[in-house]
Amino acid sequence: MEIEYTQHSASPVKRVISVIPEVIPEDSEQLPELEFTASRLSRNESRAMMSRALSRNLTRASLKIPSFVGGRSSKTFFVDPPTKPQFDPDDDYDFDFESDEEESSPISYDSVEDVHRRAYKTFCKQLGVMPCSKVLRQFGKTSVNLADLNLSNKELKAALMTFINIFRDDDGDYSDEDSENDGEIYEINLSGNKLTTKEMEYVIDLLTVNKRVSNLVLSGCHLAGESLDKLADFLRKSNTIQKLDLSNNDLTDKDAEALCKIIQDNESIFELILAHNNLGEGGVAIGNALEKNDTLRSLDLSWNHIRVIGAVGLAKGVQKNCHLEKLILAWNGFGFEGSVALKRLLENNTSLLHLDLSCNRIHPPALFEIIKGLEKNKTLSLLNLSQNPITAPMTSIFLSRLLRAKHSGLQELDLAGIVVDKEFESVLEKIREKRFFTVRYDTSLPVNKGAAVKVDPKNVFNIDPIRILYFMKEHLRTIDLFLKFDKDSNNCLTRDEMQLAFEMEGYPISQEAMDSVMSYLDTNKDGSVDLLEFIDGERKLKRKLIQEREEQKLRQSAEEELRGGHEYSQAYRRPANPKLPPIRK
């Protein structure tokens, strides 16, 4: 092939390439890559060949599609002069045009999430269920949240099997450098989905293939029985889960054995939530397991009906634990026996920082026991005693004992729902002069009768408005008190008249407390209180006061037993050798 470089008359900046096929012999081997000559090519084929050759080898050149110069029979083309790099006729040309389209066409790959979604849809089709849109949105995230979807067994199986296969077969074939995460799952939330034994096996398989899951939430999954046993057997050997939520699963003291396996043998769980169950006397077994646990930092046992024996057993176990920092026991029934055990706990434990005892039937004698433990405790910084039947005078006594406790490290006290007396705030100021101390409490009682004080909290637990109502009688007869309140003299006391009576006497009362007064006195539910209903209410109150005096005598006898060396009340102790009646012959 001979290539001539000449100037074209029409354009001085263009070069002319003339192809002279006659100079190429048929048996020429100089250009083995040229398998046919230009003379055998049609005009369109020649144009296409040259265009593709030039565009392929001169990628940086600014080219136009070659056009013919000199008529239809001419084999001459003209092209734009190349920019950098300069065109070199000695360069080898690649005329292999068959693979051009394959190389130039872009190859599209599916993202990792799309592959996983297709796999999930395939499982759903095999099981005969519809794919769930929320499940489809979970692929590619580090946190899988399937809470409250109420998935059926097959729907849950399709989702779990997809995640299992993702980690079991993942070998990097679908790697995506732009992915937001590395494909691992760190949190699984299956709350509100019923997990039978079979579904629990799928959950365990998923935790086995993906060892990065640290947060497992199984609240409200009906795990009582065999499902919990399987989970406990797995967690005994697994050391990846750091937070486990088993709340609201209807667990009873029969399931305490499985929970003890988790607490006693697992070495990775830092936070365990067992709230809203019915463990009851299972607290004894949990306490025994806590004695041998050295990893748990937070334990939530609220709303579990833990009382008397269960409360004492649990407190004994926490007493010997040296690593637990947060213990939530709200809404149980520790009462007096549990408070005595808590006293021993506070005296000996050196790790507990946060203790929640809200709504635990802690009355003044029980509070005295807790105060004894607080005086010797150096580590507890937060104590919650809200919504307990603690009297107003007892609150100032409590602070006075804390003021004298030199070693106490208590910094925050929650007495929400408990009204304090007039001395409380003055003692509180004395404590704050010595150290940082925060208290949450309700409005203090007025010293003398005067203007009414508004009560902001909705729930006040240590003031009985009925007693205040009849206390206002002083030396009057019941009928005289009734006539004093009856402003319109219609022999009936309306709600507004009752409220005005409280305000005139200077006692604070909320709308909720007023509701309790009306429901107590208005027995026929007509919206007003007549004289007979008013007298009836006073008789009921007197019977209640008599009953309370009897209970107070029992408490005093219990305190005498404690001073005599007994640890718990007689109601708690069980006789070792019960005396049986003699057998008659």
Side-chain angles (χ1 to χ4, degrees):
M1 177 182 289
E2 181 179 349
I3 303 177
E4 296 179 356
Y5 295 87
T6 60
Q7 292 287 339
H8 192 269
S9 59
S11 178
V13 297
K14 294 182 179 179
R15 295 176 183 175
V16 179
I17 303 174
S18 299
V19 180
I20 307 175
E22 290 80 4
V23 300
I24 303 175
E26 294 182 0
D27 56 346
S28 176
E29 297 180 359
Q30 297 178 1
L31 300 174
E33 69 276 12
L34 189 59
E35 298 180 357
F36 47 86
T37 61
S39 61
R40 297 178 183 177
L41 300 176
S42 64
R43 181 178 61 178
N44 294 334
E45 291 173 343
S46 300
R47 291 184 64 182
M49 284 178 57
M50 292 305 298
S51 174
R52 296 168 81 173
L54 291 172
S55 63
R56 185 164 185 169
N57 291 279
L58 303 175
T59 54
R60 296 187 181 182
S62 176
L63 303 175
K64 289 185 178 181
I65 298 177
S67 59
F68 286 98
V69 177
R72 296 173 59 90
S73 60
S74 174
K75 303 298 182 183
T76 303
F77 305 88
F78 70 89
V79 295
D80 290 335
T83 59
K84 297 180 181 180
Q86 295 294 331
F87 177 75
D88 189 355
D90 296 331
D91 288 344
D92 293 333
Y93 286 87
D94 182 9
F95 289 96
D96 184 12
F97 307 114
E98 296 179 357
S99 61
D100 285 352
E101 293 186 4
E102 297 178 1
E103 294 179 359
S104 61
S105 59
I107 302 175
S108 60
Y109 296 96
D110 291 337
S111 64
V112 178
E113 292 79 7
D114 291 337
V115 175
H116 296 167
R117 292 187 184 102
R118 280 205 305 271
Y120 169 64
K121 292 178 181 179
T122 302
F123 274 112
C124 290
K125 185 176 181 180
Q126 292 174 356
L127 296 173
V129 295
M130 291 291 293
C132 179
S133 60
K134 188 170 183 179
V135 176
L136 289 170
R137 291 194 294 268
Q138 302 304 312
F139 295 107
K141 297 182 179 180
T142 58
S143 176
V144 176
N145 185 5
L146 304 180
D148 301 323
L149 294 183
N150 197 20
L151 300 176
S152 65
N153 295 342
K154 290 184 177 180
E155 291 173 335
L156 197 57
K157 178 181 178 180
L160 294 176
M161 287 300 297
T162 305
F163 286 109
I164 292 171
N165 286 346
I166 288 173
F167 296 102
R168 179 176 294 168
D169 302 331
D170 187 15
D171 55 359
D173 291 341
Y174 301 100
S175 62
D176 188 1
E177 297 179 356
D178 298 331
S179 180
E180 295 181 357
N181 54 72
D182 56 359
E184 298 292 346
I185 296 176
Y186 300 96
E187 179 180 357
I188 298 177
N189 189 347
L190 299 176
S191 302
N193 298 288
K194 186 176 181 180
L195 298 180
T196 63
T197 307
K198 194 64 177 177
E199 282 74 35
M200 182 54 67
E201 291 178 356
Y202 296 141
V203 174
I204 293 173
D205 289 343
L206 177 56
L207 297 175
T208 302
V209 296
N210 182 14
K211 298 184 181 299
R212 296 195 182 184
V213 177
S214 60
N215 188 357
L216 181 61
V217 183
L218 301 176
S219 176
C221 293
H222 305 278
L223 293 182
E226 191 175 352
S227 299
L228 182 62
D229 293 335
K230 284 187 174 294
L231 179 63
D233 291 337
F234 169 75
L235 292 177
R236 291 178 66 183
K237 304 174 183 178
S238 174
N239 293 321
T240 59
I241 304 297
Q242 296 181 2
K243 180 180 178 181
L244 178 63
D245 187 350
L246 299 178
S247 60
N248 198 19
N249 273 296
D250 298 325
L251 305 180
T252 63
D253 51 357
K254 297 179 181 179
D255 301 305
E257 183 179 355
L259 296 175
C260 290
K261 293 179 183 178
I262 300 175
I263 297 173
Q264 184 172 336
D265 299 332
N266 186 275
E267 298 179 355
S268 63
I269 297 178
F270 292 100
E271 182 177 357
L272 180 59
I273 303 175
L274 300 174
H276 292 273
N277 286 298
N278 190 15
L279 295 174
E281 294 187 2
V284 178
I286 294 176
N288 294 333
L290 286 172
E291 293 181 10
K292 304 175 183 178
N293 181 279
D294 56 356
T295 57
L296 203 60
R297 297 294 182 270
S298 175
L299 177 62
D300 186 353
L301 287 169
S302 57
W303 293 89
N304 265 287
H305 304 281
I306 300 176
R307 303 170 184 172
V308 195
I309 297 175
V312 173
L314 178 63
K316 285 182 177 180
V318 178
Q319 173 183 336
K320 299 179 181 180
N321 187 288
C322 301
H323 298 86
L324 192 65
E325 298 176 355
K326 184 177 181 180
L327 180 61
I328 302 177
L329 300 172
W331 294 90
N332 285 294
F334 269 58
F336 181 75
E337 287 80 11
S339 298
V340 173
L342 288 173
K343 179 198 74 170
R344 296 294 181 91
L345 183 157
L346 294 171
E347 289 175 347
N348 297 278
N349 186 278
T350 58
S351 63
L352 202 61
L353 302 176
H354 182 168
L355 179 61
D356 189 347
L357 296 173
S358 57
C359 198
N360 260 285
R361 302 179 183 176
I362 298 177
H363 44 66
L367 183 59
F368 267 117
E369 299 300 322
I370 295 177
I371 292 173
K372 294 175 184 177
L374 287 173
E375 289 175 338
K376 299 180 180 180
N377 186 278
K378 300 179 181 179
T379 58
L380 190 70
S381 61
L382 191 153
L383 177 63
N384 189 345
L385 292 172
S386 60
Q387 301 181 7
N388 279 295
I390 300 173
T391 59
M394 191 64 196
T395 58
S396 59
I397 295 173
F398 184 16
L399 285 192
S400 300
R401 296 285 291 268
L402 289 178
L403 178 62
R404 295 194 296 267
K406 299 180 181 180
H407 303 293
S408 176
L410 194 65
Q411 298 179 355
E412 186 174 350
L413 178 64
D414 193 343
L415 298 176
I418 299 175
V419 174
V420 301
D421 64 353
K422 59 185 179 64
E423 299 178 0
F424 181 88
E425 294 180 353
S426 60
V427 179
L428 178 59
E429 291 299 326
K430 294 179 181 179
I431 296 178
R432 286 176 174 172
E433 290 176 359
K434 294 184 176 181
R435 57 189 173 95
F436 175 79
F437 193 68
T438 304
V439 184
R440 180 187 176 194
Y441 60 95
D442 283 346
T443 309
S444 54
L445 288 173
V447 180
N448 300 315
K449 294 182 180 180
V453 180
K454 293 184 178 180
V455 179
D456 294 333
K458 295 183 179 180
N459 299 317
V460 176
F461 290 85
N462 61 339
I463 289 184
D464 189 353
I466 303 298
R467 299 189 189 192
I468 295 178
L469 177 65
Y470 289 100
F471 175 75
M472 291 187 294
K473 188 173 72 167
E474 296 179 348
H475 300 292
L476 298 176
R477 296 179 301 170
T478 305
I479 187 172
D480 295 334
L481 180 65
F482 180 86
L483 295 175
K484 180 181 178 180
F485 292 161
D486 187 13
K487 299 297 182 182
D488 55 2
S489 303
N490 62 347
N491 296 326
C492 287
L493 297 179
T494 62
R495 181 188 179 92
D496 294 336
E497 289 175 335
M498 297 285 286
Q499 180 124 14
L500 180 62
F502 278 97
E503 292 177 357
M504 292 293 294
E505 295 295 329
Y507 290 98
I509 186 169
S510 61
Q511 293 297 324
E512 288 77 12
M514 196 67 237
D515 291 338
S516 66
V517 171
M518 293 302 295
S519 62
Y520 185 86
L521 296 177
D522 187 13
T523 55
N524 60 1
K525 308 301 178 185
D526 61 351
S528 60
V529 180
D530 56 24
L531 180 59
L532 293 178
E533 290 175 332
F534 196 76
I535 295 173
D536 246 359
E538 184 181 17
R539 290 174 180 173
K540 286 192 294 184
L541 178 62
K542 288 181 178 179
R543 289 194 294 267
K544 184 177 180 181
L545 294 175
I546 293 172
Q547 183 181 356
E548 287 182 356
R549 281 196 292 268
E550 294 177 353
E551 291 177 356
Q552 183 66 25
K553 291 180 181 179
L554 292 176
R555 293 191 187 116
Q556 291 176 356
S557 63
E559 292 178 4
E560 292 175 0
E561 289 182 1
L562 286 175
R563 287 191 291 271
H566 299 291
E567 186 176 5
Y568 303 109
S569 66
Q570 187 175 3
Y572 172 77
R573 296 198 309 273
R574 294 179 177 177
N577 297 316
K579 296 181 180 181
L580 300 176
I583 301 175
R584 296 182 180 180
K585 295 183 179 180

